[in-house]
Amino acid sequence: MLSLTGVSVAYDGVVAVDGVSLEVPDGSVLAVLGPSGCGKSTLLRAIAGLEPVRSGRITFDGDDVGRLPTHKRGFALMFQDGQLFGHMTVARNVGYALRLRRRPSNARVAELLALVGLEGYADRLPATLSGGERQRVALARALAVEPRLLLLDEPLSALDAGLRERLAVDLREILHAAGTTALMVTHDHEEAFQVADRLAVMRAGRVVQAGPIADVWAAPVDAETALFLGYARVLTGVAADTVRAAAGDARAGRVEALAVRRSALVADEHGPLLGTVRSARATPELLRLVVDVRDVGLVDAVADRDTHWGPGEDVRLRVDPTRTAPIRGI
Ligand code: ADP
Ligand code: MG
């Protein structure tokens, strides 16, 4: 298990990673999720031994690895652009680390190419591959020596949207099939959800919330985290209480705010919230409404495409409680 305790990193006295503690249990994939510039790459580089740690401890299975040079940590790294050797074939790229360790093995290379779905690509050069194929080669190369920890820095960010989604699913399956313990940093919550089991949300150098993805998603620690996780709106005060009551929300206790997903509020003639349509916009599937609800203010809602809500009309809204999450604050 990788374990970090109070790890800080600074560049010329400016703190980039500020007292980060986290754990990656064996065989699990942790996504460190945060906006650009929050210190994700710096954290990853510190774990890899590429950046000196100002304070704190990095251990693996109880051993203090923080003082070891990069190549003695037993970790592998994979970056956004894969960084393949352009003059080497796919097979030679994948076998690179095996040759370095004087353990070349064509059978192992073939096994890795099969793992990432690239049988038959052994003799190709990187320049003849698509972006997604290149990332698969980079992944096979990183997994070649069975690292005890794989560190991934935005591994899918350079790919276009459709491919990114497919490769995210593949990445998850490949990591699980290989039993790899991994830490991936990303700014994209969808990518984190698709690939990882656990999440650490990072902001301004600090981890603000961590846990299994479902737990973090079900109860974001604050409004900023909720919005970063993909919630569309955060309602506070009376608005939060009113919408919770309308949803028949039985989750106990007062909340500081309520995170609301897109399409959580639906026009329904029996709905408990009464509002007035401010604007309506038809999409091919739905009618998107902005509704002024008393005591709540303006909210986004949806209606069937074949209804004809227009500005000024009264509308009742139903709340889907599974599309809201309480924010309890700290
Ligand atoms: P992220 O990967 O989350 O986008 P980084 O870890 O790259 O963020 O950067 C965190 C902060 O550290 C940023 O303010 C960035 O400008 C700064 N930083 C990163 N690398 C260096 C460096 N080599 N020298 C000085 N400052 C750096
Ligand atoms: Mg980065």
Side-chain angles (χ1 to χ4, degrees):
M1 181 172 82
L2 175 75
S3 180
L4 270 63
T5 315
V7 169
S8 296
V9 182
Y11 295 108
D12 300 327
V14 180
V15 174
V17 170
D18 189 4
V20 166
S21 298
L22 53 81
E23 289 184 344
V24 189
D26 289 346
S28 71
V29 180
L30 173 79
V32 175
L33 173 71
S36 177
C38 74
K40 303 182 296 296
S41 294
T42 303
L43 178 67
L44 196 94
R45 292 170 57 79
I47 296 168
L50 298 170
E51 218 58 78
V53 166
R54 172 195 251 196
S55 57
R57 263 167 70 85
I58 303 174
T59 64
F60 198 94
D61 288 348
D63 295 338
D64 190 344
V65 295
R67 308 262 168 265
L68 295 177
T70 299
H71 66 278
K72 295 231 168 104
R73 295 191 184 194
F75 305 162
L77 274 147
M78 179 179 156
F79 297 99
Q80 180 176 341
D81 53 5
Q83 299 185 343
L84 298 179
F85 303 114
H87 62 287
M88 287 185 199
T89 62
V90 165
R92 287 188 68 76
N93 264 286
V94 172
Y96 179 75
L98 298 171
R99 292 197 302 283
L100 269 190
R101 285 170 172 69
R102 301 187 198 293
R103 287 194 277 122
S105 163
N106 291 339
R108 175 73 180 141
V109 169
E111 183 185 305
L112 287 156
L113 288 178
L115 180 71
V116 299
L118 289 178
E119 297 104 324
Y121 282 68
D123 298 326
R124 300 265 293 265
L125 284 171
T128 71
L129 303 176
S130 71
E133 288 162 352
R134 274 201 285 273
Q135 283 305 74
R136 284 167 196 273
V137 176
L139 181 60
R141 186 180 62 180
L143 292 173
V145 290
E146 297 181 65
R148 55 184 182 168
L149 177 72
L150 177 62
L151 299 167
L152 305 137
D153 193 347
E154 312 255 4
L156 308 173
S157 299
L159 308 173
D160 55 50
L163 183 59
R164 186 161 63 225
E165 223 163 276
R166 267 175 289 147
L167 200 57
V169 174
D170 291 349
L171 180 57
R172 179 187 180 82
E173 281 169 8
I174 293 165
L175 293 178
H176 277 258
T180 308
T181 307
L183 186 152
M184 169 179 94
V185 308
T186 177
H187 67 276
D188 179 342
H189 64 276
E190 303 270 2
E191 194 172 300
F193 297 164
Q194 277 162 352
V195 178
D197 314 304
R198 305 174 67 82
L199 200 61
V201 181
M202 206 172 160
R203 204 155 62 224
R206 294 172 173 272
V207 169
V208 296
Q209 190 173 12
I213 287 177
D215 294 359
V216 175
W217 173 248
V221 73
D222 55 27
E224 206 173 332
T225 301
L227 295 171
F228 201 73
L229 291 173
Y231 284 89
R233 283 281 302 276
V234 172
L235 303 173
T236 55
V238 176
D241 293 340
T242 308
V243 171
R244 281 184 88 208
D249 191 345
R251 289 168 290 193
R254 271 193 61 81
V255 301
E256 198 172 84
L258 188 71
V260 182
R261 281 161 78 182
R262 219 175 148 94
S263 314
L265 306 175
V266 183
D268 178 338
E269 58 178 314
H270 304 298
L273 287 179
L274 178 63
T276 307
V277 176
R278 274 289 189 85
S279 69
R281 183 170 59 84
T283 73
E285 288 178 330
L286 293 164
L287 209 54
R288 295 209 171 274
L289 307 173
V290 175
V291 180
D292 193 355
V293 177
R294 198 155 61 87
D295 292 341
V296 175
L298 295 180
V299 296
D300 303 305
V302 294
D304 278 341
R305 181 73 171 76
D306 53 13
T307 55
H308 295 279
W309 297 106
E313 286 179 75
D314 285 341
V315 61
R316 286 191 165 274
L317 301 177
R318 151 172 77 77
V319 185
D320 177 352
T322 66
R323 300 180 75 84
T324 70
I327 296 172
R328 297 187 191 283
I330 309 168

